[in-house]
Short mmCIF file of all heavy atoms in Angstrom, two decimals:
data_model
loop_
_atom_site.label_atom_id
_atom_site.label_comp_id
_atom_site.label_asym_id
_atom_site.label_seq_id
_atom_site.Cartn_x
_atom_site.Cartn_y
_atom_site.Cartn_z
N MET N 1 102.20 108.61 102.78
CA MET N 1 102.01 107.31 103.43
C MET N 1 100.67 107.16 104.15
O MET N 1 100.05 106.13 104.05
CB MET N 1 103.15 107.07 104.46
CG MET N 1 104.20 106.22 103.90
SD MET N 1 105.64 105.92 105.05
CE MET N 1 105.29 106.52 106.60
N ILE N 2 100.41 108.21 104.89
CA ILE N 2 99.14 108.17 105.69
C ILE N 2 97.89 108.12 104.77
O ILE N 2 97.01 107.32 104.97
CB ILE N 2 98.99 109.37 106.67
CG1 ILE N 2 100.12 109.29 107.68
CG2 ILE N 2 97.62 109.47 107.29
CD1 ILE N 2 100.21 110.53 108.58
N HIS N 3 97.92 108.89 103.74
CA HIS N 3 96.87 108.94 102.74
C HIS N 3 96.66 107.52 102.16
O HIS N 3 95.49 107.05 102.01
CB HIS N 3 97.05 109.94 101.68
CG HIS N 3 95.95 110.01 100.65
ND1 HIS N 3 94.65 110.41 100.96
CD2 HIS N 3 95.96 109.64 99.40
CE1 HIS N 3 93.93 110.28 99.88
NE2 HIS N 3 94.69 109.82 98.87
N ARG N 4 97.75 106.88 101.75
CA ARG N 4 97.63 105.53 101.16
C ARG N 4 97.12 104.54 102.15
O ARG N 4 96.31 103.68 101.83
CB ARG N 4 99.05 105.15 100.73
CG ARG N 4 99.07 104.04 99.68
CD ARG N 4 100.38 103.72 99.10
NE ARG N 4 101.01 104.93 98.62
CZ ARG N 4 102.30 105.09 98.53
NH1 ARG N 4 103.10 104.04 98.79
NH2 ARG N 4 102.84 106.19 98.08
N TYR N 5 97.55 104.67 103.40
CA TYR N 5 97.03 103.77 104.51
C TYR N 5 95.55 103.98 104.66
O TYR N 5 94.79 102.96 104.75
CB TYR N 5 97.81 104.08 105.83
CG TYR N 5 97.23 103.40 107.04
CD1 TYR N 5 97.53 102.05 107.27
CD2 TYR N 5 96.50 104.12 107.92
CE1 TYR N 5 97.02 101.44 108.40
CE2 TYR N 5 96.02 103.50 109.08
CZ TYR N 5 96.30 102.16 109.29
OH TYR N 5 95.80 101.57 110.46
N GLN N 6 95.03 105.21 104.73
CA GLN N 6 93.68 105.49 104.89
C GLN N 6 92.87 105.00 103.64
O GLN N 6 91.80 104.42 103.82
CB GLN N 6 93.42 106.95 105.07
CG GLN N 6 93.89 107.44 106.48
CD GLN N 6 93.80 108.93 106.66
OE1 GLN N 6 93.90 109.67 105.68
NE2 GLN N 6 93.68 109.38 107.85
N ALA N 7 93.38 105.24 102.50
CA ALA N 7 92.66 104.85 101.24
C ALA N 7 92.57 103.31 101.16
O ALA N 7 91.62 102.81 100.57
CB ALA N 7 93.38 105.41 100.09
N SER N 8 93.50 102.61 101.73
CA SER N 8 93.48 101.13 101.65
C SER N 8 92.55 100.50 102.70
O SER N 8 92.50 99.29 102.76
CB SER N 8 94.87 100.56 101.74
OG SER N 8 95.40 100.84 102.99
N GLY N 9 92.00 101.27 103.52
CA GLY N 9 91.04 100.75 104.59
C GLY N 9 91.47 100.92 105.99
O GLY N 9 90.71 100.65 106.94
N GLY N 10 92.67 101.42 106.25
CA GLY N 10 93.16 101.66 107.57
C GLY N 10 93.19 100.42 108.45
O GLY N 10 93.28 99.26 108.00
N SER N 11 93.11 100.65 109.77
CA SER N 11 93.30 99.57 110.71
C SER N 11 92.12 98.49 110.62
O SER N 11 92.36 97.35 110.81
CB SER N 11 93.35 100.07 112.10
OG SER N 11 92.12 100.69 112.47
N LYS N 12 91.01 98.96 110.29
CA LYS N 12 89.87 98.01 110.12
C LYS N 12 90.11 96.95 109.10
O LYS N 12 89.92 95.78 109.39
CB LYS N 12 88.56 98.77 109.89
CG LYS N 12 87.33 97.91 109.80
CD LYS N 12 86.98 97.41 111.11
CE LYS N 12 85.65 96.67 111.05
NZ LYS N 12 85.32 95.90 112.13
N LYS N 13 90.55 97.31 107.97
CA LYS N 13 90.76 96.37 106.88
C LYS N 13 92.13 95.69 106.96
O LYS N 13 92.23 94.46 106.80
CB LYS N 13 90.64 97.10 105.55
CG LYS N 13 90.64 96.16 104.35
CD LYS N 13 90.34 96.80 103.06
CE LYS N 13 90.41 95.78 101.95
NZ LYS N 13 90.18 96.40 100.69
N LEU N 14 93.19 96.49 107.18
CA LEU N 14 94.54 95.94 107.13
C LEU N 14 94.85 95.13 108.39
O LEU N 14 95.58 94.13 108.28
CB LEU N 14 95.53 97.08 106.95
CG LEU N 14 95.41 97.80 105.63
CD1 LEU N 14 96.36 98.95 105.65
CD2 LEU N 14 95.67 96.87 104.44
N LEU N 15 94.43 95.57 109.54
CA LEU N 15 94.81 94.95 110.79
C LEU N 15 93.69 94.25 111.52
O LEU N 15 93.87 93.55 112.54
CB LEU N 15 95.45 95.94 111.76
CG LEU N 15 96.63 96.76 111.21
CD1 LEU N 15 96.99 97.86 112.16
CD2 LEU N 15 97.80 95.81 110.89
N ASN N 16 92.42 94.35 110.98
CA ASN N 16 91.23 93.79 111.57
C ASN N 16 90.99 94.25 113.00
O ASN N 16 90.62 93.53 113.87
CB ASN N 16 91.26 92.29 111.42
CG ASN N 16 89.90 91.72 111.59
OD1 ASN N 16 88.90 92.36 111.21
ND2 ASN N 16 89.76 90.49 112.10
N VAL N 17 91.26 95.56 113.25
CA VAL N 17 90.89 96.12 114.59
C VAL N 17 90.27 97.50 114.35
O VAL N 17 90.51 98.19 113.40
CB VAL N 17 92.20 96.34 115.42
CG1 VAL N 17 92.77 95.00 115.86
CG2 VAL N 17 93.22 97.18 114.84
N GLU N 18 89.47 97.92 115.33
CA GLU N 18 88.83 99.22 115.38
C GLU N 18 89.76 100.18 116.08
O GLU N 18 90.28 99.76 117.16
CB GLU N 18 87.52 99.16 116.11
CG GLU N 18 86.18 99.01 115.43
CD GLU N 18 85.92 99.80 114.12
OE1 GLU N 18 85.99 101.03 114.09
OE2 GLU N 18 85.54 99.07 113.26
N CYS N 19 89.85 101.38 115.66
CA CYS N 19 90.63 102.38 116.36
C CYS N 19 89.83 102.77 117.64
O CYS N 19 88.67 102.92 117.63
CB CYS N 19 90.85 103.56 115.49
SG CYS N 19 91.96 104.79 116.22
N ASN N 20 90.55 102.92 118.73
CA ASN N 20 89.99 103.27 120.05
C ASN N 20 89.77 104.79 120.16
O ASN N 20 89.22 105.18 121.20
CB ASN N 20 90.87 102.87 121.15
CG ASN N 20 90.94 101.30 121.30
OD1 ASN N 20 89.97 100.64 121.03
ND2 ASN N 20 92.07 100.82 121.71
N PHE N 21 90.16 105.58 119.21
CA PHE N 21 90.12 107.02 119.32
C PHE N 21 89.33 107.62 118.22
O PHE N 21 89.18 107.07 117.14
CB PHE N 21 91.51 107.59 119.31
CG PHE N 21 92.36 107.26 120.52
CD1 PHE N 21 93.28 106.27 120.48
CD2 PHE N 21 92.23 107.95 121.68
CE1 PHE N 21 94.05 105.94 121.56
CE2 PHE N 21 93.00 107.69 122.79
CZ PHE N 21 93.91 106.69 122.70
N LYS N 22 88.84 108.85 118.49
CA LYS N 22 88.29 109.72 117.45
C LYS N 22 89.01 111.07 117.60
O LYS N 22 88.98 111.61 118.68
CB LYS N 22 86.81 109.92 117.63
CG LYS N 22 86.05 108.68 117.25
CD LYS N 22 84.61 109.07 116.88
CE LYS N 22 83.99 107.74 116.38
NZ LYS N 22 82.69 107.80 115.88
N PRO N 23 89.52 111.59 116.58
CA PRO N 23 89.73 111.02 115.23
C PRO N 23 90.66 109.80 115.28
O PRO N 23 91.41 109.60 116.26
CB PRO N 23 90.37 112.18 114.44
CG PRO N 23 91.05 113.02 115.38
CD PRO N 23 90.27 112.89 116.70
N THR N 24 90.67 109.00 114.21
CA THR N 24 91.48 107.80 114.16
C THR N 24 92.98 108.21 114.32
O THR N 24 93.36 109.30 114.15
CB THR N 24 91.37 107.08 112.84
OG1 THR N 24 91.79 107.89 111.80
CG2 THR N 24 89.90 106.62 112.65
N CYS N 25 93.79 107.27 114.70
CA CYS N 25 95.23 107.52 114.90
C CYS N 25 95.91 108.02 113.66
O CYS N 25 96.72 108.98 113.68
CB CYS N 25 95.93 106.29 115.36
SG CYS N 25 95.44 105.74 117.03
N SER N 26 95.50 107.56 112.48
CA SER N 26 96.13 108.04 111.27
C SER N 26 95.66 109.44 110.94
O SER N 26 96.50 110.30 110.54
CB SER N 26 95.79 107.08 110.06
OG SER N 26 94.38 107.07 109.88
N GLU N 27 94.44 109.80 111.20
CA GLU N 27 93.90 111.14 110.96
C GLU N 27 94.55 112.12 111.95
O GLU N 27 94.91 113.20 111.64
CB GLU N 27 92.40 111.17 111.05
CG GLU N 27 91.84 112.55 110.72
CD GLU N 27 92.09 113.04 109.37
OE1 GLU N 27 92.25 112.21 108.41
OE2 GLU N 27 92.25 114.24 109.19
N TYR N 28 94.73 111.65 113.24
CA TYR N 28 95.28 112.47 114.24
C TYR N 28 96.78 112.82 113.86
O TYR N 28 97.19 113.93 113.95
CB TYR N 28 95.23 111.68 115.57
CG TYR N 28 95.90 112.32 116.76
CD1 TYR N 28 95.16 113.18 117.59
CD2 TYR N 28 97.28 112.10 117.07
CE1 TYR N 28 95.75 113.75 118.70
CE2 TYR N 28 97.87 112.71 118.15
CZ TYR N 28 97.12 113.53 118.97
OH TYR N 28 97.72 114.07 120.12
N THR N 29 97.47 111.81 113.41
CA THR N 29 98.84 111.96 113.01
C THR N 29 98.96 112.96 111.83
O THR N 29 99.81 113.87 111.84
CB THR N 29 99.50 110.66 112.62
OG1 THR N 29 99.38 109.77 113.78
CG2 THR N 29 100.98 110.80 112.19
N LYS N 30 98.05 112.82 110.95
CA LYS N 30 98.07 113.74 109.77
C LYS N 30 97.75 115.16 110.22
O LYS N 30 98.51 116.08 109.79
CB LYS N 30 96.97 113.26 108.72
CG LYS N 30 97.00 114.05 107.44
CD LYS N 30 96.26 113.35 106.39
CE LYS N 30 94.72 113.46 106.59
NZ LYS N 30 93.91 112.98 105.45
N GLN N 31 96.84 115.32 111.09
CA GLN N 31 96.53 116.70 111.59
C GLN N 31 97.71 117.30 112.34
O GLN N 31 98.02 118.48 112.27
CB GLN N 31 95.30 116.67 112.44
CG GLN N 31 94.03 116.42 111.68
CD GLN N 31 92.79 116.28 112.63
OE1 GLN N 31 92.87 116.66 113.80
NE2 GLN N 31 91.76 115.74 112.07
N CYS N 32 98.37 116.43 113.20
CA CYS N 32 99.62 116.87 113.92
C CYS N 32 100.71 117.29 112.96
O CYS N 32 101.34 118.29 113.29
CB CYS N 32 100.09 115.78 114.81
SG CYS N 32 99.05 115.49 116.34
N ILE N 33 100.91 116.56 111.92
CA ILE N 33 101.99 116.89 110.99
C ILE N 33 101.69 118.27 110.28
O ILE N 33 102.54 119.14 110.18
CB ILE N 33 102.14 115.87 109.87
CG1 ILE N 33 102.75 114.57 110.50
CG2 ILE N 33 103.02 116.32 108.71
CD1 ILE N 33 102.81 113.36 109.72
N VAL N 34 100.40 118.49 109.94
CA VAL N 34 100.03 119.75 109.35
C VAL N 34 100.22 120.86 110.37
O VAL N 34 100.73 121.95 110.01
CB VAL N 34 98.57 119.70 108.88
CG1 VAL N 34 98.03 121.07 108.50
CG2 VAL N 34 98.39 118.76 107.69
N LYS N 35 99.83 120.68 111.59
CA LYS N 35 99.91 121.76 112.63
C LYS N 35 101.33 121.98 113.15
O LYS N 35 101.71 123.13 113.34
CB LYS N 35 98.95 121.35 113.77
CG LYS N 35 98.78 122.49 114.81
CD LYS N 35 97.74 122.18 115.86
CE LYS N 35 97.62 123.36 116.81
NZ LYS N 35 96.51 123.09 117.71
N TYR N 36 102.05 120.94 113.39
CA TYR N 36 103.36 121.10 114.04
C TYR N 36 104.58 120.72 113.24
O TYR N 36 105.67 120.94 113.64
CB TYR N 36 103.45 120.16 115.29
CG TYR N 36 102.39 120.51 116.33
CD1 TYR N 36 101.31 119.71 116.55
CD2 TYR N 36 102.57 121.62 117.14
CE1 TYR N 36 100.38 120.06 117.54
CE2 TYR N 36 101.68 121.96 118.10
CZ TYR N 36 100.58 121.15 118.31
OH TYR N 36 99.65 121.51 119.23
N GLY N 37 104.41 120.25 111.97
CA GLY N 37 105.52 119.92 111.17
C GLY N 37 105.81 118.40 111.24
O GLY N 37 105.28 117.72 112.17
N ALA N 38 106.65 117.89 110.39
CA ALA N 38 106.87 116.50 110.27
C ALA N 38 107.44 115.85 111.52
O ALA N 38 106.89 114.81 112.01
CB ALA N 38 107.79 116.20 109.09
N ARG N 39 108.46 116.40 112.06
CA ARG N 39 109.20 115.71 113.27
C ARG N 39 108.19 115.68 114.46
O ARG N 39 107.97 114.56 114.99
CB ARG N 39 110.41 116.55 113.59
CG ARG N 39 111.22 115.93 114.74
CD ARG N 39 112.41 116.79 115.01
NE ARG N 39 113.11 116.22 116.14
CZ ARG N 39 114.35 115.61 116.16
NH1 ARG N 39 114.89 115.44 114.96
NH2 ARG N 39 114.83 115.16 117.25
N LYS N 40 107.69 116.84 114.89
CA LYS N 40 106.83 116.80 116.11
C LYS N 40 105.57 116.08 115.79
O LYS N 40 104.96 115.41 116.63
CB LYS N 40 106.63 118.21 116.63
CG LYS N 40 105.77 118.15 117.89
CD LYS N 40 105.79 119.47 118.58
CE LYS N 40 104.83 119.31 119.82
NZ LYS N 40 105.11 120.17 120.89
N GLY N 41 105.02 116.21 114.57
CA GLY N 41 103.75 115.62 114.21
C GLY N 41 103.88 114.08 114.31
O GLY N 41 102.98 113.40 114.87
N TRP N 42 104.97 113.54 113.79
CA TRP N 42 105.18 112.07 113.85
C TRP N 42 105.36 111.62 115.34
O TRP N 42 104.83 110.55 115.71
CB TRP N 42 106.44 111.64 113.05
CG TRP N 42 106.11 111.45 111.64
CD1 TRP N 42 106.58 112.20 110.61
CD2 TRP N 42 105.30 110.39 111.02
NE1 TRP N 42 106.06 111.71 109.44
CE2 TRP N 42 105.29 110.60 109.64
CE3 TRP N 42 104.54 109.34 111.60
CZ2 TRP N 42 104.60 109.79 108.76
CZ3 TRP N 42 103.87 108.56 110.69
CH2 TRP N 42 103.88 108.75 109.31
N GLN N 43 106.04 112.44 116.15
CA GLN N 43 106.25 112.05 117.54
C GLN N 43 104.86 111.99 118.24
O GLN N 43 104.65 111.02 118.98
CB GLN N 43 107.18 113.07 118.26
CG GLN N 43 108.59 112.97 117.82
CD GLN N 43 109.46 114.12 118.42
OE1 GLN N 43 108.90 115.19 118.80
NE2 GLN N 43 110.68 113.85 118.51
N LEU N 44 104.01 112.98 118.02
CA LEU N 44 102.73 112.95 118.62
C LEU N 44 101.90 111.84 118.20
O LEU N 44 101.19 111.16 118.93
CB LEU N 44 102.01 114.35 118.36
CG LEU N 44 102.50 115.56 119.13
CD1 LEU N 44 101.96 116.81 118.55
CD2 LEU N 44 102.28 115.42 120.59
N GLY N 45 101.94 111.51 116.88
CA GLY N 45 101.20 110.45 116.27
C GLY N 45 101.60 109.12 116.88
O GLY N 45 100.81 108.27 117.20
N LEU N 46 102.93 108.89 116.94
CA LEU N 46 103.44 107.60 117.44
C LEU N 46 103.05 107.46 118.91
O LEU N 46 102.78 106.41 119.43
CB LEU N 46 104.92 107.51 117.30
CG LEU N 46 105.41 107.30 115.82
CD1 LEU N 46 106.90 107.38 115.73
CD2 LEU N 46 104.85 106.04 115.28
N SER N 47 103.12 108.54 119.67
CA SER N 47 102.75 108.55 121.05
C SER N 47 101.22 108.11 121.21
O SER N 47 100.94 107.36 122.06
CB SER N 47 102.90 109.90 121.70
OG SER N 47 102.37 109.92 123.00
N ARG N 48 100.41 108.63 120.33
CA ARG N 48 98.95 108.32 120.34
C ARG N 48 98.80 106.81 119.99
O ARG N 48 98.05 106.13 120.62
CB ARG N 48 98.30 109.15 119.32
CG ARG N 48 96.95 108.72 118.90
CD ARG N 48 95.84 108.85 120.02
NE ARG N 48 94.75 109.67 119.74
CZ ARG N 48 93.99 109.80 118.66
NH1 ARG N 48 94.30 109.08 117.70
NH2 ARG N 48 92.93 110.57 118.70
N ILE N 49 99.53 106.29 119.01
CA ILE N 49 99.44 104.89 118.56
C ILE N 49 99.81 103.98 119.72
O ILE N 49 99.18 102.91 119.95
CB ILE N 49 100.28 104.67 117.33
CG1 ILE N 49 99.61 105.37 116.12
CG2 ILE N 49 100.36 103.15 117.04
CD1 ILE N 49 100.47 105.48 114.89
N ARG N 50 100.82 104.37 120.52
CA ARG N 50 101.22 103.55 121.61
C ARG N 50 100.16 103.39 122.64
O ARG N 50 100.13 102.44 123.39
CB ARG N 50 102.55 104.10 122.25
CG ARG N 50 103.75 103.80 121.50
CD ARG N 50 105.01 104.21 122.26
NE ARG N 50 105.97 104.57 121.27
CZ ARG N 50 106.43 105.86 121.10
NH1 ARG N 50 106.03 106.80 121.89
NH2 ARG N 50 107.29 106.12 120.17
N ARG N 51 99.30 104.40 122.79
CA ARG N 51 98.17 104.38 123.79
C ARG N 51 96.98 103.57 123.30
O ARG N 51 96.05 103.31 124.05
CB ARG N 51 97.78 105.81 124.13
CG ARG N 51 98.82 106.60 124.81
CD ARG N 51 98.27 107.96 125.24
NE ARG N 51 98.24 108.81 124.05
CZ ARG N 51 97.26 109.72 123.82
NH1 ARG N 51 96.29 109.87 124.70
NH2 ARG N 51 97.25 110.45 122.73
N CYS N 52 97.00 103.20 122.04
CA CYS N 52 95.88 102.53 121.41
C CYS N 52 95.98 101.03 121.53
O CYS N 52 96.42 100.33 120.66
CB CYS N 52 95.80 102.96 119.89
SG CYS N 52 94.33 102.47 119.12
N ASN N 53 95.63 100.52 122.75
CA ASN N 53 95.85 99.08 122.97
C ASN N 53 94.70 98.38 123.73
O ASN N 53 94.97 97.36 124.33
CB ASN N 53 97.17 98.92 123.71
CG ASN N 53 97.18 99.60 125.04
OD1 ASN N 53 96.17 100.20 125.48
ND2 ASN N 53 98.26 99.55 125.75
N ASP N 54 93.52 98.96 123.79
CA ASP N 54 92.46 98.37 124.51
C ASP N 54 91.40 97.77 123.56
O ASP N 54 90.55 98.44 123.11
CB ASP N 54 91.80 99.34 125.42
CG ASP N 54 90.76 98.75 126.35
OD1 ASP N 54 90.56 97.50 126.26
OD2 ASP N 54 90.17 99.47 127.19
N PRO N 55 91.56 96.46 123.27
CA PRO N 55 90.63 95.84 122.29
C PRO N 55 89.17 95.78 122.77
O PRO N 55 88.24 95.55 122.00
CB PRO N 55 91.24 94.47 122.02
CG PRO N 55 91.98 94.18 123.28
CD PRO N 55 92.45 95.49 123.81
N ASP N 56 88.90 95.91 124.06
CA ASP N 56 87.63 95.72 124.62
C ASP N 56 86.88 97.07 124.88
O ASP N 56 85.90 97.07 125.56
CB ASP N 56 87.63 94.90 125.90
CG ASP N 56 88.20 93.52 125.71
OD1 ASP N 56 87.88 92.94 124.59
OD2 ASP N 56 88.93 93.04 126.53
N LEU N 57 87.40 98.19 124.42
CA LEU N 57 86.89 99.45 124.63
C LEU N 57 85.48 99.54 124.00
O LEU N 57 85.32 99.14 122.79
CB LEU N 57 87.71 100.53 124.10
CG LEU N 57 87.46 101.96 124.47
CD1 LEU N 57 87.69 102.13 125.97
CD2 LEU N 57 88.36 102.88 123.69
N VAL N 58 84.50 100.01 124.72
CA VAL N 58 83.14 100.07 124.13
C VAL N 58 82.92 101.34 123.41
O VAL N 58 82.40 101.31 122.30
CB VAL N 58 82.05 100.00 125.38
CG1 VAL N 58 80.67 100.17 124.85
CG2 VAL N 58 82.26 98.63 126.09
N GLU N 59 83.24 102.47 124.01
CA GLU N 59 83.13 103.78 123.32
C GLU N 59 84.48 104.35 122.94
O GLU N 59 85.41 104.28 123.74
CB GLU N 59 82.43 104.80 124.25
CG GLU N 59 81.00 104.42 124.61
CD GLU N 59 80.07 104.68 123.42
OE1 GLU N 59 80.28 105.64 122.68
OE2 GLU N 59 79.15 103.88 123.18
N PRO N 60 84.61 104.90 121.75
CA PRO N 60 85.88 105.50 121.39
C PRO N 60 86.17 106.75 122.22
O PRO N 60 85.29 107.43 122.75
CB PRO N 60 85.70 105.92 119.94
CG PRO N 60 84.24 105.84 119.62
CD PRO N 60 83.63 105.00 120.72
N ILE N 61 87.46 106.96 122.52
CA ILE N 61 87.85 108.09 123.31
C ILE N 61 88.13 109.27 122.32
O ILE N 61 88.79 109.18 121.31
CB ILE N 61 89.32 107.76 123.99
CG1 ILE N 61 89.06 106.56 124.89
CG2 ILE N 61 89.80 108.96 124.71
CD1 ILE N 61 90.34 105.95 125.36
N ILE N 62 87.50 110.45 122.69
CA ILE N 62 87.67 111.63 121.92
C ILE N 62 89.03 112.29 122.38
O ILE N 62 89.16 112.62 123.47
CB ILE N 62 86.49 112.66 122.14
CG1 ILE N 62 85.18 111.92 121.99
CG2 ILE N 62 86.67 113.85 121.29
CD1 ILE N 62 84.57 111.91 120.63
N ASP N 63 89.93 112.39 121.40
CA ASP N 63 91.25 112.97 121.65
C ASP N 63 91.64 113.82 120.51
O ASP N 63 92.15 113.33 119.54
CB ASP N 63 92.24 111.78 121.92
CG ASP N 63 93.61 112.28 122.25
OD1 ASP N 63 93.71 113.36 122.88
OD2 ASP N 63 94.58 111.60 122.00
N GLU N 64 91.43 115.13 120.68
CA GLU N 64 91.72 116.08 119.62
C GLU N 64 93.21 116.45 119.63
O GLU N 64 93.89 116.35 120.63
CB GLU N 64 90.87 117.36 119.70
CG GLU N 64 89.36 117.10 119.61
CD GLU N 64 88.95 116.63 118.19
OE1 GLU N 64 89.58 117.00 117.21
OE2 GLU N 64 87.96 115.86 118.16
N VAL N 65 93.71 116.99 118.55
CA VAL N 65 95.07 117.45 118.41
C VAL N 65 95.29 118.62 119.40
O VAL N 65 94.47 119.53 119.44
CB VAL N 65 95.34 117.90 116.96
CG1 VAL N 65 96.77 118.53 116.87
CG2 VAL N 65 95.23 116.74 116.02
N PRO N 66 96.34 118.59 120.21
CA PRO N 66 96.60 119.67 121.18
C PRO N 66 96.92 121.00 120.51
O PRO N 66 97.41 121.02 119.42
CB PRO N 66 97.80 119.14 121.97
CG PRO N 66 98.42 118.09 121.15
CD PRO N 66 97.39 117.58 120.24
#
């Protein structure tokens, strides 16, 4: 699912918004799933997506996988 979302253009193309984080929320979620497994990876990814809500952010926030 994540790969398909990224291949189709991600948030920039599908939702017309820039991600506020680096790595992007989809890449972060993918990395979390690889590192922690599906359940915890999705939880961490969804938590990150909930924090992504500042449309006026000038610089992206660097937030690496814990």
Side-chain angles (χ1 to χ4, degrees):
M1 258 180 10
I2 294 172
H3 177 68
R4 201 173 310 154
Y5 172 77
Q6 290 174 333
S8 66
S11 64
K12 182 69 174 167
K13 186 172 182 185
L14 297 174
L15 305 173
N16 200 28
V17 294
E18 261 322 302
C19 187
N20 291 329
F21 293 98
K22 284 200 179 190
T24 63
C25 292
S26 59
E27 185 60 31
Y28 178 90
T29 303
K30 187 165 74 171
Q31 290 176 14
C32 285
I33 290 170
V34 168
K35 186 171 183 177
Y36 296 107
R39 184 181 174 109
K40 182 165 179 156
W42 276 112
Q43 288 174 338
L44 289 168
L46 290 174
S47 174
R48 164 68 121 46
I49 291 167
R50 283 189 213 112
R51 294 184 285 143
C52 190
N53 61 3
D54 187 359
D56 299 324
L57 191 66
V58 176
E59 292 289 322
I61 299 167
I62 310 270
D63 183 27
E64 298 293 330
V65 174

